[in-house]
Amino acid sequence: MRLLFLAVLRPHTGNAVTAQRIRDHLEAAGHVCLLKDALDYDSRSEVAELIRAEDVEAALALHAYRAGRFLQGHGIPFGIVFGGTDLNEDVTQGEKHQVMGRVLEEARFAVAFTEPMKAAAGLQWPHAKDKIHVQTQGIATLPSTAFRWDAFLQSAEIASCAGDAHVFLLICGLRQVKDPLYLVDAFSEWHRQEPDVYLVIVGPEVDPVFTREVKAKVKSSSGVRLAREMPQGDLHAALGHCVALVNSSVSEGMSAAILEAMELEVPVLARNIPGNAAVVRHGATGLLFSDPQEFVQLAKRLVSDPALARDLGASGRAYVRAHHAWQAERDTYQHLIQSLKEDACHRACS
């Protein structure tokens, strides 16, 4: 079957990684999957032309608003995968809420990453609650063998002789919902006391205006560095040298970076928000903080207690392997797309 898959595909973002992984699942089942960036389209008429030109039989959208709104009214069956900001941010805006409700009326199915996400969607759109499935993100990591830690430190302006540097890695696109500046002041104060600790923020420049704010703040903050976006394999390799993966987001659907760190047995130090608390169990599979001061306290524990770091890493990996199996994700999406194929066949025959 020929499938159109719409998603926001900014390079090196969680959405792009998730979309590419789902596309691989669908293509493994023999489907032709046309993965397109929703940001390249301004109207449903443009998408209608694409559907006609490519002879598309069914469709999938990652993000109920940014991508899903373009799939209505084309006479082909489609499904929706909630991204995170659609349920955590866009749902509070009246017009977007209404648009997503209409999308869900027409969608054959919707996928939420967690039970709380499913429950939240069901409360917002009761008419759709019976078509929402829960499928956690499937995780697979492949650290690059060509990655050089010393070169990374040099590019981040961390003295290469600082072999004992304790680096905390915050992976995120530079946009406000990721709140990369949340910890900067507290971390800088800690660095002034202990010059061997560093916070490195790495990710794509998603919001140009906010990126300028981040660059200005980091430039004036000791112990904090801003690194250019990196290929996923290099990020996975870099994580293996770090004390912890840091997440300071205001809201998350399900952070792929957190799950990837867990799979790599790297401790996770995450802001205590519902999306993070759904996968990080404090003191067991990672650590959760509620404010910058608590972050510093917990980060100091990780630096001073290697046994704690090892235990958290091992427990995190066990959790991911038990609950975020790549094969289970593949099976779910292949099954759901099969239901679209059957729907498309009924339409063609009627």
Side-chain angles (χ1 to χ4, degrees), residues 60-315:
L60 185 66
L62 174 56
H63 200 287
Y65 180 76
R66 291 180 186 172
R69 62 194 169 118
F70 292 123
L71 296 183
Q72 290 179 268
H74 300 306
I76 61 171
F78 67 87
I80 295 294
V81 181
F82 290 113
T85 54
D86 42 11
L87 283 177
N88 296 329
E89 306 290 329
D90 296 337
V91 74
T92 63
Q93 301 178 39
E95 182 181 353
K96 291 182 178 181
H97 183 280
Q98 293 175 10
V99 168
M100 290 189 286
R102 292 194 294 270
V103 169
L104 288 168
E105 283 181 9
E106 192 173 335
R108 299 302 189 271
F109 66 79
V111 177
F113 295 142
T114 66
E115 289 289 349
M117 287 178 70
K118 176 182 178 178
L123 284 174
Q124 295 296 331
W125 303 287
H127 64 274
K129 63 182 181 181
D130 291 336
K131 65 174 71 173
I132 302 173
H133 303 257
V134 175
Q135 175 55 57
T136 58
Q137 296 213 60
I139 295 301
T141 57
L142 187 62
S144 168
T145 57
F147 176 79
R148 289 179 51 214
W149 179 243
D150 57 342
F152 175 78
L153 292 178
Q154 185 176 10
S155 68
E157 298 182 354
I158 297 173
S160 58
C161 61
D164 57 350
H166 300 294
V167 177
F168 292 79
L169 197 62
L170 197 167
I171 300 173
C172 69
L174 300 186
R175 53 191 178 120
Q176 290 185 333
V177 71
K178 299 300 183 181
D179 208 4
L181 298 180
Y182 182 63
L183 302 171
V184 167
D185 288 339
F187 201 98
S188 286
E189 182 178 348
W190 180 28
H191 174 79
R192 285 191 288 270
Q193 299 166 3
E194 300 183 37
D196 58 346
V197 296
Y198 291 88
L199 175 65
V200 178
I201 303 168
V202 57
E205 299 178 1
V206 176
D207 180 336
V209 174
F210 184 63
T211 294
R212 288 196 291 272
E213 180 183 341
V214 171
K215 287 181 176 179
K217 179 67 174 179
V218 168
K219 187 176 182 179
S220 63
S221 301
S222 60
V224 182
R225 303 288 190 267
L226 184 62
R228 291 176 296 181
E229 59 187 291
M230 300 162 58
Q232 192 178 27
D234 286 352
L235 279 176
H236 292 167
L239 276 168
H241 297 271
C242 295
V243 177
L245 179 282
V246 178
N247 180 292
S248 59
S249 296
V250 174
S251 71
E252 286 281 3
M254 178 174 285
S255 169
I258 285 179
L259 296 173
E260 288 163 359
M262 287 180 166
E263 165 66 18
L264 293 164
E265 295 191 77
V266 176
V268 169
L269 194 45
R271 193 167 179 172
N272 192 357
I273 57 173
N276 290 344
V279 295
V280 178
R281 190 154 55 92
H282 183 68
T285 59
L287 298 172
L288 296 169
F289 60 88
S290 298
D291 55 53
Q293 291 69 39
E294 186 177 16
F295 164 82
V296 171
Q297 293 170 5
L298 295 172
K300 287 180 176 180
R301 282 184 62 194
L302 286 176
V303 170
S304 64
D305 190 349
L308 171 64
R310 285 193 299 272
D311 289 346
L312 292 174
S315 296

Side-chain angles (χ1 to χ4, degrees), residues 4 6 37-52 66-72 74:
L4 171 62
L6 280 181
D37 193 338
L39 296 179
D40 290 340
Y41 301 94
D42 296 318
S43 67
R44 281 188 288 172
S45 62
E46 291 179 329
V47 174
E49 179 58 34
L50 173 66
I51 290 171
R52 285 192 295 270
R66 291 180 186 172
R69 62 194 169 118
F70 292 123
L71 296 183
Q72 290 179 268
H74 300 306

